[in-house]
Amino acid sequence: EIAHLKNRLFFITIIIIILIITVWFYVIRQSLKIEYKRRKAESNLRLSRQKYKSLVEASTDGTLMLVNQNIVYSNLKLSEITGFDPLKIRQLEFNQLFEINWNEIESMFNQPNRSFSTDTLLKTNNNQRIEVVITASKIDYSGNDGFIVIVKDVSRDQNVNKESKILSADLEVALLQMAQPIATIIKDLFTCSPENTINEVAEIMVKKQTDVV
């Protein structure tokens, strides 16, 4: 009976060990799957961030990116326009940079269209206001709602337009002058002969009211 009990305990122990090993392998496998998914999600997040960061930095216009109403990226062009360095811009809120309220822009994305443009004023580091047109586009940023905002400085365009109009007016005047007959701007020549005396030449100059003979 003791030998029989020993055999039963041995088989029960073997079964328990097999069950423990099976559960252990299952736990390890699940843990590896979870770790793989986590690493893949982190990799996708890094790729997504790098993609949008490259997009922001490569833009020729002032560009910034918002996630959860926080500015996470901005390019050098925006720093050039505002006078703030990129780190300072990321510390500011949208409403501290622009006259328009961000909630007003975000509410526009409840409509089917996924982009929105409007004109507003951009605040600079020397407390000036620049006329700009902003275009906001909604993106999926790793499961969160992100927005890319492109800032176009139209004040410079307006100055260029004014200068172009002035240049066009000057050019038009020059063309009109070139079309005038030359006879209208040529004065008569007053002459004398070599035999005239200086007194006689002076009398001619007085009479003709000219400084040159």
Side-chain angles (χ1 to χ4, degrees), residues 41-49 52 65 67 139-146:
E42 288 181 352
S43 177
N44 292 336
L45 179 60
R46 284 194 297 269
L47 288 175
S48 176
R49 288 178 176 175
Y52 289 121
M65 181 175 174
V67 178
I139 60 172
D140 181 15
Y141 187 77
S142 302
N144 296 320
D145 288 338

Side-chain angles (χ1 to χ4, degrees), residues 5-212:
L5 288 174
K6 285 182 178 181
N7 291 334
R8 288 186 64 185
L9 288 174
F10 176 75
F11 284 115
I12 291 172
T13 303
I14 294 297
I15 292 172
I16 291 174
I17 291 174
I18 292 173
L19 289 174
I20 291 174
I21 292 174
T22 302
V23 172
W24 182 64
F25 273 112
Y26 176 78
V27 171
I28 290 178
R29 184 181 178 185
Q30 292 299 112
S31 298
L32 291 176
K33 283 184 177 180
I34 293 172
E35 181 66 17
Y36 173 76
K37 290 180 179 179
R38 185 185 66 80
R39 290 183 179 181
K40 186 176 180 180
E42 288 181 352
S43 177
N44 292 336
L45 179 60
R46 284 194 297 269
L47 288 175
S48 176
R49 288 178 176 175
Q50 188 61 38
K51 178 180 69 174
Y52 289 121
K53 183 178 180 181
S54 300
L55 177 64
V56 170
E57 291 177 348
S59 176
T60 56
D61 292 318
T63 308
L64 57 86
M65 181 175 174
L66 292 95
V67 178
N68 297 326
Q69 298 188 4
N70 295 319
I71 300 175
V72 294
Y73 297 128
S74 65
N75 64 353
L76 294 177
K77 183 64 177 179
L78 186 62
S79 297
E80 178 185 332
I81 296 173
T82 61
F84 294 114
D85 61 79
L87 180 60
K88 178 62 177 178
I89 291 177
R90 287 194 290 271
Q91 295 173 350
L92 298 175
E93 296 182 358
F94 183 87
N95 298 338
Q96 292 177 306
L97 275 176
F98 299 93
E99 291 288 345
I100 191 171
N101 192 287
W102 173 251
N103 293 330
E104 181 180 345
I105 296 178
E106 195 171 16
S107 64
M108 296 296 176
F109 290 96
N110 295 328
Q111 302 175 3
N113 60 319
R114 296 179 63 84
S115 63
F116 172 74
S117 297
T118 185
D119 54 341
T120 183
L121 295 177
L122 174 66
K123 306 172 186 176
T124 64
N125 65 336
N126 54 3
N127 295 322
Q128 291 184 349
R129 300 293 186 270
I130 300 176
E131 293 183 12
V132 296
V133 173
I134 60 174
T135 302
S137 301
K138 191 174 183 178
I139 60 172
D140 181 15
Y141 187 77
S142 302
N144 296 320
D145 288 338
F147 298 88
I148 291 181
V149 180
I150 298 176
V151 183
K152 185 172 182 61
D153 183 3
V154 295
S155 62
R156 295 182 180 179
D157 295 339
Q158 291 176 352
N159 292 334
V160 169
N161 290 336
K162 291 179 181 178
E163 293 176 359
S164 298
K165 290 180 179 179
I166 294 173
L167 181 60
S168 298
D170 292 342
L171 182 59
E172 185 177 352
V173 171
L175 291 174
L176 288 174
Q177 289 178 346
M178 292 178 66
Q180 295 294 324
I182 194 171
T184 59
I185 59 174
I186 292 181
K187 295 182 179 180
D188 295 332
L189 284 177
F190 303 106
T191 63
C192 65
S193 68
E195 287 77 16
N196 289 122
T197 64
I198 293 179
N199 288 333
E200 291 173 340
V201 173
E203 289 178 0
I204 295 173
M205 295 174 66
V206 172
K207 183 178 178 181
K208 299 298 184 179
Q209 295 183 353
T210 179
D211 296 330
V212 179

